[in-house]
Amino acid sequence: KDISYFPTKNMSIPVDSALVVKNGTVMPQMTNRIVKAIDWKLDKSYVLKNDLMVLDLLATNKWERPIYFAVTTGPESYLNLQDYFQLEGLAYRLVPVKSDPQEQQMSGTRVATDIMYNNMMKFSWGGMEKKGVYLDENITRMCTNLRIQMGTLATALTNEGKKDKAMKIADRCLEVMPEENVPYDATIYSLVVTYYQLGANEKANKLAKRLFDIFEADLNFYIGLGSRAVSYSREMRQAQEIMNRLTYMAKSNKQDVVAKDFEARFNVFARMMGNQQQQPQFQQPQEQE
């Protein structure tokens, strides 16, 4: 049987630089980074019908309308185009500007901070902050993505020196998704880091203490399961890692009282679990699924 196939995995989309500036696809300050063509390689050995649809859209759109990919769909849906994504909220926009390695290292892709800030601040949150509101597991899981993206934005704004906006985003995140409605988890850690970087040590310490308490209680619960604790080894490692990083952040920001308290409590678990306590090493938290 005849089989339809692409003779190559190498793809290219030509770019009309004048058009993408005129219609707002590329921000004025990024015009010097516009590429002549988006050249990329498919990272799979087959394409499904949904992939063909996207490829057809890319081939025929000619930069006349914006093309977005949801942040929740996962890399398998991006056709290896991530180098040309810019984060604008809960979606990546395809633009003819290639992210540099530093931008990718900081947040996975380039963040259009001004656009994303405006989107997040005017977003209609739907009453998640109201006392007593019930959020089912699907909405709660979506809140994880919201916190991740807001944390990413706060970090990017801080790195750009836009400290006032970074503070407002961090505060907004806690305001619209309070702990009583959306329980704190590892995604809150990025806000702790942001507050410390902004010099808001009181806010950072308060949030760090609460997060440490949560993961300390989790570890106590898992250890109390005895031999069954092995089923929760991944959760136990995450709890240890977050507690470790919180200790490091407090210490590196000269919050000695908080750091000593964290370190003493962390060492208790290190001894209980037969681990030798080592100097905490800071790493960027991984996104939660």
Side-chain angles (χ1 to χ4, degrees):
K1 295 182 180 180
D2 291 334
I3 299 177
S4 298
Y5 68 95
F6 286 115
T8 178
K9 291 185 178 182
N10 298 315
M11 302 288 165
S12 181
I13 307 171
V15 177
D16 183 336
S17 58
L19 177 61
V20 295
V21 173
K22 181 179 179 181
N23 64 18
T25 299
V26 176
M27 296 177 288
Q29 63 269 31
M30 304 296 291
T31 54
N32 63 323
R33 293 180 59 181
I34 297 175
V35 296
K36 294 182 179 180
I38 289 183
D39 298 315
W40 87 104
K41 187 173 183 178
L42 290 179
D43 58 348
K44 53 178 66 178
S45 57
Y46 62 89
V47 288
L48 303 176
K49 288 185 178 180
N50 59 303
D51 300 323
L52 288 172
M53 182 196 73
V54 174
L55 289 170
D56 181 70
L57 183 113
L58 294 171
T60 59
N61 184 56
K62 298 180 180 179
W63 302 104
E64 294 176 356
R65 300 180 66 181
I67 296 175
Y68 285 91
F69 293 81
V71 299
T72 53
T73 57
E76 66 276 2
S77 300
Y78 300 152
L79 299 180
N80 208 29
L81 284 163
Q82 294 94 313
D83 287 349
Y84 298 93
F85 282 178
Q86 69 178 24
L87 183 63
E88 296 186 0
L90 292 180
Y92 299 113
R93 184 171 183 173
L94 180 69
V95 293
V97 174
K98 190 172 184 177
S99 299
D100 61 43
Q102 183 177 3
E103 291 169 332
Q104 292 178 327
Q105 183 179 8
M106 296 297 293
S107 57
T109 189
R110 185 169 54 82
V111 182
T113 51
D114 291 336
I115 295 174
M116 187 171 177
Y117 176 82
N118 291 331
N119 287 340
M120 287 297 188
M121 294 303 288
K122 70 181 181 182
F123 188 74
S124 178
W125 296 93
M128 289 192 297
E129 76 286 357
K130 294 181 180 178
K131 188 176 180 62
V133 69
Y134 170 71
L135 305 180
D136 65 26
E137 62 179 84
N138 291 312
I139 298 301
T140 302
R141 190 161 53 246
M142 178 56 69
C143 289
T144 297
N145 283 298
L146 288 167
R147 279 177 172 163
I148 289 172
Q149 304 312 325
M150 294 183 82
T152 297
L153 174 59
T155 300
L157 288 166
T158 302
N159 291 335
E160 292 181 6
K162 301 173 182 177
K163 296 185 177 181
D164 290 342
K165 288 185 175 181
M167 183 73 76
K168 288 179 180 178
I169 283 293
D171 290 345
R172 184 67 170 157
C173 182
L174 298 178
E175 175 190 348
V176 298
M177 289 176 281
E179 182 183 12
E180 63 179 301
N181 294 341
V182 187
Y184 287 170
D185 57 17
T187 58
I188 290 294
Y189 173 78
S190 63
L191 298 184
V192 175
V193 176
T194 293
Y195 280 134
Y196 276 132
Q197 290 178 331
L198 296 176
N201 291 334
E202 185 175 345
K203 290 182 178 181
N205 288 337
K206 180 180 179 180
L207 200 57
K209 289 176 182 179
R210 180 62 189 132
L211 199 58
F212 196 97
D213 288 346
I214 290 171
F215 283 103
E216 182 181 48
D218 287 350
L219 266 184
N220 267 319
F221 172 78
Y222 296 134
I223 292 174
L225 294 175
S227 60
R228 291 176 293 170
V230 67
S231 301
Y232 299 92
S233 57
R234 177 178 179 272
E235 288 81 359
M236 293 174 71
R237 285 195 301 271
Q238 182 192 56
Q240 284 184 292
E241 185 178 4
I242 295 298
M243 292 165 67
N244 198 5
R245 296 181 188 186
L246 289 170
T247 303
Y248 173 84
M249 288 305 300
K251 184 178 295 186
S252 63
N253 284 278
K254 296 181 172 56
Q255 303 302 299
D256 297 334
V257 175
V258 176
K260 288 180 180 178
D261 177 54
F262 286 175
E263 191 167 17
R265 291 157 65 186
F266 183 82
N267 284 338
V268 170
F269 288 101
R271 289 191 294 268
M272 289 173 64
M273 300 176 69
N275 297 329
Q276 292 184 346
Q277 172 64 7
Q278 297 179 353
Q279 183 68 21
Q281 298 294 321
F282 172 71
Q283 296 176 355
Q284 193 69 15
Q286 295 180 356
E287 293 185 353
Q288 304 300 301
E289 295 180 357

